[in-house]
Amino acid sequence: MKARKSLATSVAVLMGALALAACGGSDDTSAGGDGDVELTFWHNSTTGDGKAYWDATAAAFEEANPGVTVKIQSIQNEDMDGKLQTALNSGDAPDIFMARGGGKLADIVDSGQVMDLTDKIDDDVREAVGGALDAFAVDGKVYGMPTAVLPGGIWYSKDLFAQAGITETPTTMAELEDAVAKLKAAGIQPIALGGKDAWPAAHWYYFFALRACSQDTINESAAEMNFDDPCWTEAGQAYADFAGIEPFNNGFLTTTAQQGAGSSAGLLANHQAAMELMGAWNPGVIAGLTPDGEPLADLGWFPFPAIEGGKGDATAMMGGVDGYACHVDAPDACADFLNFYMKQEHQEGYAEAFVTLPASKDAQGAVTDPALQDVLASYNDAAYVSVWLDTLLGQNVGNALNAGVVDMLAGDGDADSIVAAVKAAAAKE
Amino acid sequence: MSNSQGGNALLRTSTPGDGSAVGDGAVTAPSPARRPRRRGDWRKRAEIALLAGPAIVVFIAFVIFPVVMAAYYGFFKWKGYGVPTDFVGLENYLTILQDSTFIDALSHNGFIVVMSLVMQGPAAVILALLLNRKMRGRGLIRVLIFVPYVVSEVIVGTGWSLMLQTTGAINDLFGKIGLEGWAVDWLSDPDVAIWSLMIIITWKYIGFAVILFLAGLQSIPEELHEAAAIDGASYWQTQRSITLPLLGPTLRIWAFLSIIGSLQLFDLVYIIWGQYVSATAGTSTMATYMVLNGRNAGNYGFGNAVAVVLFIISLVIALTYQRFVLRRDTQGAITEGKK
């Protein structure tokens, strides 16, 4: 009797709570009533030149489009995904938000929350961007606008290479292994690796797969979630063999990628290790970790070495594309803003502010860092550019791939178990 | 007693006109017994609703409601965007219980529960007994033992992980004092890592146990020790036959808190090992499993199911413990409140 009564009470109060929660979700009245348009804009530059760049670009856009105001919120990169997810679910999404393409964007597209930009991109912008737009394509439609391309490769210290007697940057795996041996003989840790974060360790697998698998195999595998092609296991085996010569820094499994002097980028910045495989954002990260806070003077770059007998093109690159997408209910001015920041002057400003490669080919002249110029040269000559595999495969499968690679490096699996982990995750989709 | 007084005061101020009649009715009850008592009930309930209501609403909205929603989401495959539609029934739960990495994580939790009790309990009792005696520098030692408990998990985790790196301070120290052989891979080697974790946990939480036990020791009447002394008991006899049994309730409550804390351990592991490496280092817990396979994999339905499993395991253990171990200690508290 007593129990029943208290149950009834709690059910009643629970209904109240549900009603409350429902109320919270329903008041999504959008801003802007009397002809004025307000665009809310979330980006991930919380400090310095990047933040200033977006402030200035938004101000220029407002000036060029009277009646439009851009309300900027800069959000810490690591908080972005969770905050965006909450906002999308509560019906309070920003009009313009950060996107990196691949499976994650596809998930938001599936839930019907992203604007189809296919017919809203200016022709000259489309031409200046080229293939980078593919990163934001889902089922043949474009859902985002790139602002930077971030291909990966091996960053190295020219001084440490000279100290170890390495005169030429490696172009094949055999030469890379030779360089590792020379560095070890000179008492230098050859390669810094932030295994704790998993993705830096997984990047090595991505590049082995890029060289082992043909472009078609990679795209078909991602589209059909089918990893039966032997090249996926061959890539894992090549990685396992390479890891066998112990090229990575001591304790690489508990090393982070970008936080502090003990991280993999920090090891490179402080001449504690000679190489790191990383994307084109690395010069900026390393600059923040050098003893004097200045860019590393002897930083160099070379593309991932070729692999004998691989089906992938030796010039192919892998990299990320940073960009922005519009919410499906955003005003038309949203697409205008995306086209606006792709203008040459703003893309040049972007390249300078972020020390990176602009998405628009017209703005490539603004790249002055010598290491980045090497990246750019390889990028322009690349046979094709693939998106990072974890982005390409989506969060679920990509995460399983990263975890599988770490397990293998920790001695808790092999080339077969990486593919098995990926297949198991794909089965969960 | 104090309740009915409060109720009267409340009613008198709100209805000054017939306040005396109501007040008399409630306290002295000259009229038929049933009506005033019912009024008293009503008043008592209004009072409870008024004072506890906001807290209950907050509790339901932020504790009960999320638990119910987690159980609901656990039945779906859900990427976290929009409303879940892909109902899969118990599939998530079956996947969890058949996943060897979850079983590993669960066994790590079990190991941490047992080792926390074994490592912290006796050490904390001995420390508390020592620190309960008058001695020079007692205050300083108490502070030193308690300080780690006050420091946040993030700082503790970051600090220890820097010291325990293969190139970190501890291995460096071993090298400098000629004990190179002692230098091991504290964090990555599966045979060592879980013990590194246990050392950090002990260092971090023993201060809490010591403080609890010291408080428990204060509540033991001095006369008992005096009587034992008159009977000729030695110091250790007194501790064994008087202090420890009387410290029992405190010990049992501490063990309860320690068990629940160990089952839900997340922050130290996440900060030191991260979610990926903790599995191969043998330090993953149910909570790190949840973050890796739920939030980070974007499988929010699955993650919610893990949360529910973790919740049920903790709840069952908590209830069992209360039923069989804490029964003696809570008997009075639960039954004496009601008449």
Side-chain angles (χ1 to χ4, degrees):
Chain A
M1 175 77 165
K2 190 143 213 174
R4 201 186 298 161
K5 202 182 273 176
S6 68
L7 187 70
T9 326
S10 50
V11 166
V13 184
L14 191 67
M15 300 298 267
L18 278 165
L20 249 169
C23 282
S26 65
D27 61 346
D28 52 323
T29 46
S30 22
D34 42 47
D36 286 350
V37 178
E38 188 184 87
L39 287 173
T40 46
F41 172 35
W42 287 11
H43 67 73
N44 71 338
S45 313
T46 48
T47 52
D49 295 343
K51 190 168 188 288
Y53 165 78
W54 281 121
D55 288 345
T57 307
F61 180 70
E62 285 173 356
E63 203 174 312
N65 296 271
V68 180
T69 45
V70 182
K71 209 174 131 195
I72 296 182
Q73 246 195 77
S74 63
I75 293 161
Q76 178 64 38
N77 184 50
E78 274 68 29
D79 295 338
M80 183 66 101
D81 284 346
K83 217 174 138 90
L84 181 63
Q85 189 147 29
T86 312
L88 289 170
N89 278 334
S90 68
D92 197 22
D95 295 315
I96 311 166
F97 53 87
M98 182 137 201
R100 291 190 172 109
K104 197 178 264 185
L105 180 66
D107 287 343
I108 314 180
V109 171
D110 277 349
S111 70
Q113 304 228 50
V114 193
M115 187 185 284
D116 179 1
L117 297 172
T118 316
D119 304 325
K120 296 182 176 164
I121 297 169
D122 295 346
D123 288 342
D124 52 335
V125 170
R126 195 182 289 272
E127 194 177 331
V129 178
L133 268 184
D134 295 347
F136 297 101
V138 178
D139 295 334
K141 291 176 180 168
V142 179
Y143 290 94
M145 181 75 87
T147 184
V149 290
L150 303 156
I154 297 177
W155 305 85
Y156 72 103
S157 157
K158 290 177 181 169
D159 290 356
L160 291 182
F161 264 41
Q163 204 178 314
I166 304 166
T167 46
E168 298 276 324
T169 55
T171 56
T172 64
M173 277 315 291
E175 287 174 25
L176 181 63
E177 287 177 10
D178 186 46
V180 166
K182 280 183 179 158
L183 286 161
K184 277 188 164 179
I188 301 165
Q189 299 194 95
I191 300 174
L193 182 67
K196 186 177 175 183
D197 290 327
W199 57 263
H203 277 181
W204 281 90
Y205 178 81
Y206 304 167
F207 275 93
F208 279 112
L210 183 73
R211 296 281 180 262
C213 301
S214 72
Q215 188 185 15
D216 289 344
T217 307
I218 290 179
N219 288 336
E220 279 163 25
S221 296
E224 295 160 21
M225 287 295 162
N226 176 351
F227 300 90
D228 288 334
D229 194 295
C231 69
W232 294 107
T233 315
E234 284 163 19
Q237 194 51 52
Y239 191 4
D241 293 344
F242 182 61
I245 65 167
E246 298 185 353
F248 302 120
N249 60 292
N250 285 330
F252 65 88
L253 280 175
T254 47
T255 303
T256 56
Q258 302 179 343
Q259 298 147 351
S263 66
S264 56
L267 292 175
L268 200 55
N270 293 286
H271 284 153
Q272 300 285 312
M275 289 180 265
E276 188 189 16
L277 175 65
M278 212 22 92
W281 59 82
N282 218 23
V285 174
I286 289 174
L289 296 171
T290 53
D292 54 4
E294 293 292 316
L296 191 66
D298 65 321
L299 186 68
W301 183 91
F302 61 89
F304 196 85
I307 291 176
E308 218 171 292
K311 294 188 195 72
D313 194 296
T315 66
M317 292 185 94
M318 185 166 284
V321 180
D322 274 4
Y324 289 87
C326 287
H327 187 255
V328 68
D329 297 330
D332 290 342
C334 183
D336 297 343
F337 180 74
L338 301 187
N339 280 315
F340 183 80
Y341 76 55
M342 288 306 290
K343 287 188 180 197
Q344 186 179 346
E345 49 176 310
H346 300 301
Q347 276 278 287
E348 284 173 358
Y350 188 93
E352 280 158 19
F354 288 88
V355 196
T356 190
L357 306 183
S360 167
K361 287 179 183 134
D362 299 342
Q364 286 181 345
V367 176
T368 51
D369 183 287
L372 274 178
Q373 281 173 339
D374 289 346
V375 181
L376 193 56
S378 288
Y379 178 74
N380 287 336
D381 289 345
Y384 49 91
V385 180
S386 168
V387 184
W388 301 118
L389 279 187
D390 57 346
T391 309
L392 186 71
L393 298 175
Q395 211 178 349
N396 173 32
V397 178
N399 195 52
L401 172 59
N402 292 357
V405 169
V406 172
D407 286 354
M408 183 200 79
L409 287 181
D412 210 21
D414 53 23
D416 291 330
S417 64
I418 294 178
V419 177
V422 168
K423 283 180 177 170
K428 274 201 222 163
E429 290 274 292
Chain B
M1 184 60 180
S2 63
N3 271 354
S4 67
Q5 272 174 359
N8 285 338
L10 199 73
L11 250 151
R12 273 201 196 104
T13 48
S14 58
T15 56
D18 58 356
S20 62
V22 177
D24 286 346
V27 178
T28 58
S31 44
R34 294 184 77 183
R35 264 180 64 206
R37 200 202 283 162
R38 210 182 275 161
R39 270 196 186 174
D41 276 3
W42 179 86
R43 235 184 292 152
K44 212 175 198 172
R45 283 195 188 155
E47 195 181 315
I48 291 171
L50 186 71
L51 296 177
I56 290 173
V57 169
V58 168
F59 181 73
I60 286 172
F62 292 103
V63 178
I64 305 292
F65 180 66
V67 170
V68 171
M69 289 312 287
Y72 170 73
Y73 290 142
F75 292 122
F76 290 87
K77 274 186 184 176
W78 184 45
K79 292 272 189 180
Y81 296 104
V83 179
T85 50
D86 194 358
F87 184 82
V88 293
L90 290 173
E91 193 188 311
N92 285 336
Y93 292 94
L94 290 176
T95 310
I96 295 165
L97 297 176
Q98 288 167 3
D99 186 349
S100 64
T101 54
F102 176 78
I103 305 298
D104 283 350
L106 180 64
S107 74
H108 301 150
N109 275 113
F111 182 84
I112 294 163
V113 167
V114 173
M115 291 314 296
S116 293
L117 296 178
V118 172
M119 289 170 77
Q120 287 177 48
V125 168
I126 291 168
L127 279 170
L129 287 175
L130 290 175
L131 292 173
N132 204 32
R133 309 171 82 184
K134 288 197 169 50
M135 56 188 276
R136 197 184 289 243
R138 187 171 73 166
L140 180 70
I141 298 173
R142 282 189 184 182
V143 169
L144 286 178
I145 290 175
F146 194 60
V147 157
Y149 181 68
V150 184
V151 180
S152 90
E153 267 85 356
V154 181
I155 294 170
V156 169
T158 311
W160 276 97
S161 70
L162 287 174
M163 289 197 293
L164 292 173
Q165 296 282 341
T166 41
T167 51
I170 290 181
N171 282 347
D172 194 43
L173 183 72
F174 283 152
K176 288 215 167 80
I177 57 176
L179 293 170
E180 286 87 354
W182 288 25
V184 292
D185 194 350
W186 298 98
L187 300 177
S188 306
D189 185 344
D191 295 332
V192 179
I194 189 89
W195 293 105
S196 303
L197 176 64
M198 287 317 306
I199 289 170
I200 299 166
I201 287 177
T202 308
W203 177 84
K204 169 97 173 83
Y205 294 105
I206 200 167
F208 177 67
V210 170
I211 289 287
L212 268 186
F213 295 164
L214 278 171
L217 289 174
Q218 301 295 320
S219 69
I220 298 171
E222 192 54 32
E223 298 86 62
L224 293 178
H225 289 119
E226 285 164 10
I230 291 167
D231 287 345
S234 72
Y235 175 78
W236 287 113
Q237 273 177 325
T238 316
Q239 305 308 333
R240 210 188 52 184
S241 306
I242 294 175
T243 313
L244 280 182
L246 288 173
L247 199 57
T250 317
L251 276 168
R252 289 191 285 273
I253 284 287
W254 164 77
F256 180 68
L257 295 174
S258 175
I259 290 169
I260 297 301
S262 304
L263 283 174
Q264 303 184 341
L265 182 70
F266 172 73
D267 29 30
L268 279 176
V269 175
Y270 189 78
I271 289 157
I272 299 173
W273 283 273
Q275 47 194 339
Y276 296 99
V277 183
S278 56
T280 51
T283 58
S284 59
T285 67
M286 290 186 280
T288 58
Y289 175 88
M290 174 176 74
V291 170
L292 174 60
N293 294 287
R295 183 190 180 280
N296 209 11
N299 296 328
Y300 282 75
F302 187 80
N304 276 301
V306 180
V308 171
V309 171
L310 175 53
F311 175 74
I312 290 172
I313 290 174
S314 301
L315 189 70
V316 166
I317 290 176
L319 291 179
T320 313
Y321 191 88
Q322 279 203 314
R323 178 78 180 78
F324 292 105
V325 183
L326 287 183
R327 193 176 44 175
R328 272 191 300 169
D329 305 326
T330 53
Q331 227 161 20
I334 289 171
T335 51
E336 265 170 40
K338 286 189 219 145
K339 281 179 187 148

